Amino acid sequence: MTTLPASDIQLPLFIYAQREPLTEKSAWVALEEHHRDRARHFQLERLFAANDKRGETMTAEGAGVYLDYSKNLVTSETMALLMQLARQCGLQDRIDAMFRGDKINNTEGRSVLHTALRRPAGDSLMVDGEDIVAQVQDVLGRMEQFAHRVRSGEWLGHTGRPIRHVVNIGIGGSDLGPMMAHEALRFYSKRDITMHFLSDVDGAALQETVRALPAEQTLFIVCSKTFTTLETITNAHAARQWLVSQLGDERAVSRHFAGVTTNIEEATRFGIDPDNMFGFWDWVGGRYSMTSAIGLSTMIAIGPDNFRELLAGFHAMDEHFRTAPLERNLPAILGMLTVWYTNFFGAASQAVLPYSQYLKRLPAYLQQLTMESNGKHITVNGETAAYQTSPVYWGDNGINGQHSFYQMLHQGTQLVPCDFIGFCQPLEQVGDQHELLMANMFAQSEALAFGKKAAQVREEGTPEELVPHRVFDGNRPSNSMLVEKLTPHSLGALVALYEHSVFTQGVIWNIDSFDQWGVELGKQLAKRTARQLIDHSQPLHHDSSTNALIRRFRGGGEQ
Ligand code: F6P
């Protein structure tokens, strides 16, 4: 049991400020020299030739994830310097502070405790005088009862029919996690309940979702940490209106709406029955919330036992991150490699390429996780960062990517480090299709790393004028992550791996990875503009471009 002193006192904003600027730390300076004098000339082909064990030794394993980072532009010296930098930035202390519940979300004065959501029952963590693991387990228990009743058909809609459709209404972290997990774990899901995800405020999204739904058998779960997000609340009201008009009775709402939020007051005002309300806490960031009650749709889909397995997978990676030495710590390695390419090679993006149809939404999920967390240029000290921070994370199911954007990965002008993710065993064995799938993953990382020389292209009888077009320079870095099988447990471990890689990057860049002030301005302006689009008599005081666009909109496409 971990006991913490009550910490109601607002911590000063600079509590985690690093005194010595990042670029003046001795490890940073050493990395700059190392890059200038050696690393920018590294050739993967030569690095592999110099050490025939490289592919076996530059690996690490934790929580069931095997990471091969040997196809990166690094040597053991590079890795030692990167880990030295991590130590000089106090990574281990920051990890401990996060797990302990210190208020490391400086700008909001909050703890960051998504890891507490995955702690096993019976564990305990006292924060501000309260055992938050007990609170988590209490909500989990209520979710389990609710999920069980919906899955078993015991929960009946207003007209006495069981639920066959669940619509998750939410956006950002209240949508991407549940949607990604639903796709990823579809194999484990109860097929007679269909999941739908409604996030966009575009009326078409709502209409297309409810078009074929039987209201009598539909459950809406309104997910919003704040319960003030305009898109979600607007959709929730529209869904409620639709339901009541279909069933002709206001009282139907309590059988067809559940709510997940930290803002119980607002959810009550909306009309969610307190019995169908599941809470969480301000120490869970939206993009870190898929293991909170935000996962209610996931639990209904895969069942409480599988959901517990998902939590156990997250927890296994949490424990690995918390306890493994940095040199063998998967999230630390992944995070420091991102720092290496972003800050020393000037890489502006990072591709995530799962070789699994089930993981096709993982890149979209990771975009919020990574870029909403680390897409910042003001440090914890309140100064402008003198270095780059979050790269653009992007990607798709690897096989589909091969037939669209891989051309650029292989022969484009930009360095794009890639993360390949694959599984040893398929969930669906169809002939040799899994072998074919994984052969592609292995072949792509090999081709990126080692390319194809002009001599070989010529040997194949290529006409001389085509030779340069058919040469692959290679030397393009990648990580390969191999997991035995896609299960709730391994999905949890993979997602936690990225969560903590993001944390590692944020510590090095000395930024608060847990706020998101950058999304506020657009929201404020949209509110004002919405009034002007609805009421055409409202005066326009924007810039000339925005004014002209609004006038054109008001005129229905004509000036
Ligand atoms: O606008 C960004 C954001 O605040 C995300 O951080 C969050 O995940 C999303 O909106 C949804 O917020 P909420 O769960 O409060 O509706």
Side-chain angles (χ1 to χ4, degrees), residues 346-389:
S349 85
Q350 166 77 47
V352 182
L353 308 165
Y355 278 69
S356 163
Q357 173 67 18
Y358 289 117
L359 291 189
K360 66 178 184 205
R361 298 296 296 167
L362 183 66
Y365 171 80
L366 292 181
Q367 288 194 323
Q368 185 198 17
L369 179 69
T370 57
M371 294 194 276
E372 197 169 68
S373 295
N374 286 341
K376 293 159 193 172
H377 71 283
I378 298 296
T379 67
V380 171
N381 306 43
E383 292 155 359
T384 301
Y387 40 80
Q388 297 296 326
T389 61

CSV table of all heavy atoms in Angstrom, one decimal, residues 346-389:
chain,number,residue,atom,x,y,z
A,346,GLY,N,16.0,15.7,-37.1
A,346,GLY,CA,15.0,16.7,-37.7
A,346,GLY,C,13.8,15.9,-38.3
A,346,GLY,O,13.1,16.5,-39.2
A,347,ALA,N,13.5,14.7,-37.8
A,347,ALA,CA,12.3,14.0,-38.4
A,347,ALA,C,11.0,14.7,-37.9
A,347,ALA,O,10.9,15.0,-36.7
A,347,ALA,CB,12.3,12.5,-37.9
A,348,ALA,N,10.1,14.9,-38.8
A,348,ALA,CA,8.9,15.6,-38.4
A,348,ALA,C,7.7,14.7,-38.2
A,348,ALA,O,6.6,15.2,-37.7
A,348,ALA,CB,8.6,16.7,-39.4
A,349,SER,N,7.9,13.4,-38.5
A,349,SER,CA,6.7,12.6,-38.3
A,349,SER,C,7.2,11.1,-38.0
A,349,SER,O,8.3,10.8,-38.1
A,349,SER,CB,5.8,12.5,-39.6
A,349,SER,OG,6.2,11.6,-40.5
A,350,GLN,N,6.2,10.4,-37.5
A,350,GLN,CA,6.4,9.0,-37.0
A,350,GLN,C,5.3,8.2,-37.5
A,350,GLN,O,4.1,8.5,-37.3
A,350,GLN,CB,6.5,9.0,-35.5
A,350,GLN,CG,6.4,7.7,-34.8
A,350,GLN,CD,7.7,6.9,-34.8
A,350,GLN,OE1,8.7,7.5,-34.5
A,350,GLN,NE2,7.6,5.7,-35.2
A,351,ALA,N,5.6,7.1,-38.3
A,351,ALA,CA,4.5,6.3,-38.8
A,351,ALA,C,4.2,5.1,-37.9
A,351,ALA,O,5.2,4.5,-37.3
A,351,ALA,CB,4.8,5.8,-40.2
A,352,VAL,N,2.9,4.8,-37.7
A,352,VAL,CA,2.6,3.6,-36.9
A,352,VAL,C,1.8,2.7,-37.8
A,352,VAL,O,0.8,3.0,-38.4
A,352,VAL,CB,1.7,4.0,-35.7
A,352,VAL,CG1,1.3,2.8,-34.9
A,352,VAL,CG2,2.3,5.0,-34.9
A,353,LEU,N,2.4,1.4,-38.0
A,353,LEU,CA,1.9,0.5,-39.0
A,353,LEU,C,1.5,-0.8,-38.5
A,353,LEU,O,2.4,-1.8,-38.5
A,353,LEU,CB,3.0,0.4,-40.1
A,353,LEU,CG,3.5,1.8,-40.6
A,353,LEU,CD1,4.9,1.6,-41.3
A,353,LEU,CD2,2.5,2.5,-41.5
A,354,PRO,N,0.3,-1.0,-38.0
A,354,PRO,CA,0.0,-2.3,-37.5
A,354,PRO,C,-0.4,-3.3,-38.6
A,354,PRO,O,-1.1,-2.9,-39.5
A,354,PRO,CB,-1.3,-2.0,-36.6
A,354,PRO,CG,-1.7,-0.6,-36.9
A,354,PRO,CD,-0.7,0.0,-37.8
A,355,TYR,N,0.1,-4.5,-38.5
A,355,TYR,CA,-0.2,-5.5,-39.5
A,355,TYR,C,-1.3,-6.4,-38.8
A,355,TYR,O,-1.1,-7.5,-38.5
A,355,TYR,CB,1.0,-6.3,-39.9
A,355,TYR,CG,1.8,-5.6,-41.0
A,355,TYR,CD1,2.4,-4.4,-40.7
A,355,TYR,CD2,1.7,-6.0,-42.3
A,355,TYR,CE1,3.0,-3.6,-41.7
A,355,TYR,CE2,2.3,-5.3,-43.3
A,355,TYR,CZ,3.0,-4.1,-43.0
A,355,TYR,OH,3.5,-3.3,-44.0
A,356,SER,N,-2.5,-5.8,-38.7
A,356,SER,CA,-3.6,-6.4,-38.2
A,356,SER,C,-4.8,-5.5,-38.5
A,356,SER,O,-4.9,-4.3,-38.2
A,356,SER,CB,-3.5,-6.5,-36.6
A,356,SER,OG,-4.8,-6.7,-36.1
A,357,GLN,N,-5.8,-6.2,-39.2
A,357,GLN,CA,-7.0,-5.5,-39.5
A,357,GLN,C,-7.7,-4.9,-38.3
A,357,GLN,O,-8.3,-3.9,-38.3
A,357,GLN,CB,-7.9,-6.5,-40.2
A,357,GLN,CG,-9.3,-6.1,-40.6
A,357,GLN,CD,-9.3,-5.0,-41.6
A,357,GLN,OE1,-8.3,-4.8,-42.3
A,357,GLN,NE2,-10.4,-4.2,-41.7
A,358,TYR,N,-7.6,-5.7,-37.2
A,358,TYR,CA,-8.2,-5.3,-36.0
A,358,TYR,C,-7.7,-4.0,-35.4
A,358,TYR,O,-8.3,-3.3,-34.6
A,358,TYR,CB,-8.1,-6.4,-34.9
A,358,TYR,CG,-8.9,-7.6,-35.2
A,358,TYR,CD1,-8.3,-8.8,-35.4
A,358,TYR,CD2,-10.3,-7.6,-35.2
A,358,TYR,CE1,-9.0,-10.0,-35.6
A,358,TYR,CE2,-11.1,-8.7,-35.4
A,358,TYR,CZ,-10.4,-9.9,-35.6
A,358,TYR,OH,-11.2,-11.0,-35.9
A,359,LEU,N,-6.4,-3.7,-35.7
A,359,LEU,CA,-5.8,-2.5,-35.2
A,359,LEU,C,-5.9,-1.3,-36.1
A,359,LEU,O,-5.1,-0.3,-36.0
A,359,LEU,CB,-4.3,-2.8,-34.8
A,359,LEU,CG,-4.1,-3.7,-33.6
A,359,LEU,CD1,-2.7,-3.7,-33.2
A,359,LEU,CD2,-5.0,-3.3,-32.4
A,360,LYS,N,-6.8,-1.3,-37.0
A,360,LYS,CA,-6.8,-0.2,-38.0
A,360,LYS,C,-7.1,1.1,-37.4
A,360,LYS,O,-6.7,2.1,-38.0
A,360,LYS,CB,-7.7,-0.6,-39.2
A,360,LYS,CG,-9.2,-0.6,-38.8
A,360,LYS,CD,-10.0,-0.9,-40.0
A,360,LYS,CE,-11.5,-0.8,-39.7
A,360,LYS,NZ,-12.4,-1.6,-40.5
A,361,ARG,N,-7.7,1.2,-36.3
A,361,ARG,CA,-8.0,2.5,-35.7
A,361,ARG,C,-6.9,2.9,-34.7
A,361,ARG,O,-7.0,4.0,-34.1
A,361,ARG,CB,-9.3,2.5,-35.0
A,361,ARG,CG,-10.5,2.3,-35.9
A,361,ARG,CD,-10.8,3.3,-36.9
A,361,ARG,NE,-11.1,4.6,-36.3
A,361,ARG,CZ,-11.1,5.8,-36.9
A,361,ARG,NH1,-10.7,5.8,-38.2
A,361,ARG,NH2,-11.4,6.9,-36.3
A,362,LEU,N,-5.9,2.1,-34.5
A,362,LEU,CA,-4.8,2.4,-33.5
A,362,LEU,C,-4.1,3.7,-33.9
A,362,LEU,O,-3.9,4.6,-33.0
A,362,LEU,CB,-3.9,1.3,-33.4
A,362,LEU,CG,-2.8,1.5,-32.3
A,362,LEU,CD1,-3.3,1.6,-30.9
A,362,LEU,CD2,-1.7,0.4,-32.4
A,363,PRO,N,-3.7,3.9,-35.2
A,363,PRO,CA,-3.0,5.2,-35.5
A,363,PRO,C,-3.9,6.4,-35.2
A,363,PRO,O,-3.4,7.4,-34.6
A,363,PRO,CB,-2.8,5.1,-37.0
A,363,PRO,CG,-2.7,3.6,-37.3
A,363,PRO,CD,-3.7,3.0,-36.3
A,364,ALA,N,-5.2,6.3,-35.4
A,364,ALA,CA,-6.1,7.5,-35.1
A,364,ALA,C,-6.1,7.7,-33.6
A,364,ALA,O,-6.0,8.9,-33.2
A,364,ALA,CB,-7.5,7.2,-35.7
A,365,TYR,N,-6.2,6.6,-32.9
A,365,TYR,CA,-6.2,6.8,-31.4
A,365,TYR,C,-4.9,7.4,-30.9
A,365,TYR,O,-4.8,8.3,-30.1
A,365,TYR,CB,-6.4,5.4,-30.8
A,365,TYR,CG,-6.2,5.4,-29.3
A,365,TYR,CD1,-7.2,5.8,-28.4
A,365,TYR,CD2,-5.0,5.0,-28.7
A,365,TYR,CE1,-7.0,5.8,-27.1
A,365,TYR,CE2,-4.8,5.0,-27.4
A,365,TYR,CZ,-5.8,5.4,-26.5
A,365,TYR,OH,-5.6,5.4,-25.2
A,366,LEU,N,-3.8,6.9,-31.5
A,366,LEU,CA,-2.4,7.4,-31.1
A,366,LEU,C,-2.2,8.9,-31.5
A,366,LEU,O,-1.4,9.6,-30.8
A,366,LEU,CB,-1.3,6.6,-31.7
A,366,LEU,CG,-1.3,5.1,-31.1
A,366,LEU,CD1,-0.1,4.4,-31.8
A,366,LEU,CD2,-1.1,5.1,-29.6
A,367,GLN,N,-2.9,9.3,-32.5
A,367,GLN,CA,-2.7,10.7,-32.9
A,367,GLN,C,-3.2,11.7,-31.8
A,367,GLN,O,-2.5,12.6,-31.5
A,367,GLN,CB,-3.6,11.1,-34.1
A,367,GLN,CG,-2.9,10.4,-35.4
A,367,GLN,CD,-3.5,11.0,-36.7
A,367,GLN,OE1,-4.7,11.2,-36.7
A,367,GLN,NE2,-2.6,11.1,-37.6
A,368,GLN,N,-4.3,11.4,-31.1
A,368,GLN,CA,-4.7,12.2,-30.0
A,368,GLN,C,-3.7,12.0,-28.8
A,368,GLN,O,-3.3,13.0,-28.2
A,368,GLN,CB,-6.1,11.9,-29.6
A,368,GLN,CG,-6.6,12.9,-28.5
A,368,GLN,CD,-7.8,12.5,-27.6
A,368,GLN,OE1,-8.1,11.3,-27.6
A,368,GLN,NE2,-8.4,13.5,-27.0
A,369,LEU,N,-3.5,10.8,-28.6
A,369,LEU,CA,-2.6,10.5,-27.4
A,369,LEU,C,-1.3,11.2,-27.5
A,369,LEU,O,-0.8,11.8,-26.5
A,369,LEU,CB,-2.3,9.0,-27.3
A,369,LEU,CG,-1.5,8.5,-26.1
A,369,LEU,CD1,-2.2,8.7,-24.8
A,369,LEU,CD2,-1.0,7.1,-26.3
A,370,THR,N,-0.7,11.2,-28.7
A,370,THR,CA,0.7,11.7,-28.8
A,370,THR,C,0.7,13.2,-29.0
A,370,THR,O,1.4,14.0,-28.3
A,370,THR,CB,1.4,11.1,-30.0
A,370,THR,OG1,0.6,11.3,-31.2
A,370,THR,CG2,1.6,9.6,-29.7
A,371,MET,N,-0.2,13.7,-30.0
A,371,MET,CA,-0.1,15.1,-30.3
A,371,MET,C,-0.8,16.0,-29.4
A,371,MET,O,-0.4,17.2,-29.3
A,371,MET,CB,-0.5,15.2,-31.8
A,371,MET,CG,0.4,14.5,-32.7
A,371,MET,SD,0.2,15.0,-34.4
A,371,MET,CE,-1.1,13.9,-34.9
A,372,GLU,N,-1.9,15.5,-28.8
A,372,GLU,CA,-2.6,16.4,-27.8
A,372,GLU,C,-1.7,16.5,-26.6
A,372,GLU,O,-1.8,17.4,-25.8
A,372,GLU,CB,-4.0,15.9,-27.5
A,372,GLU,CG,-4.9,17.0,-26.8
A,372,GLU,CD,-6.3,16.6,-26.7
A,372,GLU,OE1,-6.7,15.7,-26.0
A,372,GLU,OE2,-7.2,17.3,-27.4
A,373,SER,N,-0.9,15.4,-26.4
A,373,SER,CA,-0.1,15.4,-25.2
A,373,SER,C,1.2,16.3,-25.3
A,373,SER,O,1.5,17.1,-24.5
A,373,SER,CB,0.3,14.0,-24.8
A,373,SER,OG,-0.8,13.2,-24.4
A,374,ASN,N,1.8,16.1,-26.5
A,374,ASN,CA,3.2,16.7,-26.6
A,374,ASN,C,3.3,17.8,-27.7
A,374,ASN,O,4.4,18.2,-28.0
A,374,ASN,CB,4.2,15.6,-26.8
A,374,ASN,CG,4.5,14.8,-25.6
A,374,ASN,OD1,4.2,15.3,-24.4
A,374,ASN,ND2,5.1,13.6,-25.7
A,375,GLY,N,2.2,18.1,-28.3
A,375,GLY,CA,2.2,19.1,-29.3
A,375,GLY,C,2.2,20.5,-28.7
A,375,GLY,O,1.2,21.2,-28.8
A,376,LYS,N,3.3,20.9,-28.0
A,376,LYS,CA,3.3,22.1,-27.3
A,376,LYS,C,4.7,22.8,-27.4
A,376,LYS,O,5.7,22.1,-27.5
A,376,LYS,CB,3.1,21.8,-25.8
A,376,LYS,CG,1.7,21.3,-25.5
A,376,LYS,CD,1.4,20.6,-24.3
A,376,LYS,CE,0.1,19.9,-24.4
A,376,LYS,NZ,-0.2,19.0,-23.3
A,377,HIS,N,4.7,24.1,-27.4
A,377,HIS,CA,6.1,24.8,-27.5
A,377,HIS,C,6.4,25.6,-26.3
A,377,HIS,O,7.5,26.2,-26.3
A,377,HIS,CB,6.1,25.6,-28.8
A,377,HIS,CG,5.3,26.9,-28.7
A,377,HIS,ND1,3.9,26.8,-28.8
A,377,HIS,CD2,5.6,28.1,-28.5
A,377,HIS,CE1,3.4,28.1,-28.7
A,377,HIS,NE2,4.5,28.9,-28.5
A,378,ILE,N,5.6,25.5,-25.2
A,378,ILE,CA,5.9,26.2,-24.0
A,378,ILE,C,6.3,25.2,-23.0
A,378,ILE,O,5.6,24.2,-22.7
A,378,ILE,CB,4.7,27.1,-23.5
A,378,ILE,CG1,4.3,28.2,-24.5
A,378,ILE,CG2,5.0,27.7,-22.1
A,378,ILE,CD1,5.4,29.2,-24.8
A,379,THR,N,7.5,25.4,-22.3
A,379,THR,CA,7.9,24.4,-21.4
A,379,THR,C,7.2,24.6,-20.0
A,379,THR,O,6.5,25.6,-19.8
A,379,THR,CB,9.5,24.6,-21.1
A,379,THR,OG1,9.7,25.8,-20.5
A,379,THR,CG2,10.2,24.5,-22.4
A,380,VAL,N,7.5,23.7,-19.1
A,380,VAL,CA,6.9,23.8,-17.8
A,380,VAL,C,7.4,25.1,-17.1
A,380,VAL,O,6.7,25.6,-16.3
A,380,VAL,CB,7.3,22.5,-17.0
A,380,VAL,CG1,6.9,22.7,-15.5
A,380,VAL,CG2,6.6,21.3,-17.6
A,381,ASN,N,8.6,25.5,-17.5
A,381,ASN,CA,9.1,26.8,-16.9
A,381,ASN,C,8.4,28.0,-17.5
A,381,ASN,O,8.7,29.1,-17.1
A,381,ASN,CB,10.6,26.9,-17.3
A,381,ASN,CG,11.4,25.7,-16.9
A,381,ASN,OD1,11.0,24.6,-17.1
A,381,ASN,ND2,12.6,26.0,-16.3
A,382,GLY,N,7.5,27.8,-18.5
A,382,GLY,CA,6.8,28.9,-19.1
A,382,GLY,C,7.6,29.6,-20.2
A,382,GLY,O,7.3,30.7,-20.6
A,383,GLU,N,8.7,28.9,-20.7
A,383,GLU,CA,9.5,29.5,-21.7
A,383,GLU,C,9.2,28.8,-23.0
A,383,GLU,O,8.7,27.7,-23.1
A,383,GLU,CB,11.0,29.3,-21.4
A,383,GLU,CG,11.4,30.2,-20.2
A,383,GLU,CD,12.6,29.6,-19.4
A,383,GLU,OE1,13.1,28.5,-19.8
A,383,GLU,OE2,13.0,30.2,-18.4
A,384,THR,N,9.6,29.4,-24.1
A,384,THR,CA,9.5,28.8,-25.5
A,384,THR,C,10.6,27.7,-25.6
A,384,THR,O,11.7,28.0,-25.4
A,384,THR,CB,9.6,29.9,-26.6
A,384,THR,OG1,8.6,30.8,-26.4
A,384,THR,CG2,9.5,29.2,-27.9
A,385,ALA,N,10.1,26.5,-26.0
A,385,ALA,CA,11.1,25.5,-26.2
A,385,ALA,C,12.1,25.8,-27.3
A,385,ALA,O,11.6,26.2,-28.4
A,385,ALA,CB,10.4,24.1,-26.5
A,386,ALA,N,13.3,25.6,-27.0
A,386,ALA,CA,14.4,25.9,-28.1
A,386,ALA,C,14.6,24.7,-28.9
A,386,ALA,O,15.7,24.5,-29.4
A,386,ALA,CB,15.6,26.4,-27.3
A,387,TYR,N,13.7,23.8,-29.0
A,387,TYR,CA,13.9,22.5,-29.8
A,387,TYR,C,12.5,22.1,-30.2
A,387,TYR,O,11.5,22.6,-29.8
A,387,TYR,CB,14.5,21.5,-28.9
A,387,TYR,CG,14.0,21.5,-27.4
A,387,TYR,CD1,12.8,20.9,-27.1
A,387,TYR,CD2,14.7,22.3,-26.4
A,387,TYR,CE1,12.2,21.0,-25.8
A,387,TYR,CE2,14.1,22.4,-25.2
A,387,TYR,CZ,12.9,21.8,-24.8
A,387,TYR,OH,12.4,21.9,-23.6
A,388,GLN,N,12.5,21.1,-31.1
A,388,GLN,CA,11.2,20.6,-31.6
A,388,GLN,C,10.6,19.7,-30.5
A,388,GLN,O,11.3,19.0,-29.8
A,388,GLN,CB,11.4,19.7,-32.9
A,388,GLN,CG,11.9,20.5,-34.1
A,388,GLN,CD,11.0,21.6,-34.6
A,388,GLN,OE1,9.8,21.4,-34.5
A,388,GLN,NE2,11.6,22.7,-35.0
A,389,THR,N,9.2,19.6,-30.6
A,389,THR,CA,8.6,18.7,-29.7
A,389,THR,C,7.8,17.7,-30.6
A,389,THR,O,8.3,17.2,-31.6
A,389,THR,CB,7.7,19.4,-28.6
A,389,THR,OG1,6.7,20.1,-29.3
A,389,THR,CG2,8.5,20.3,-27.7
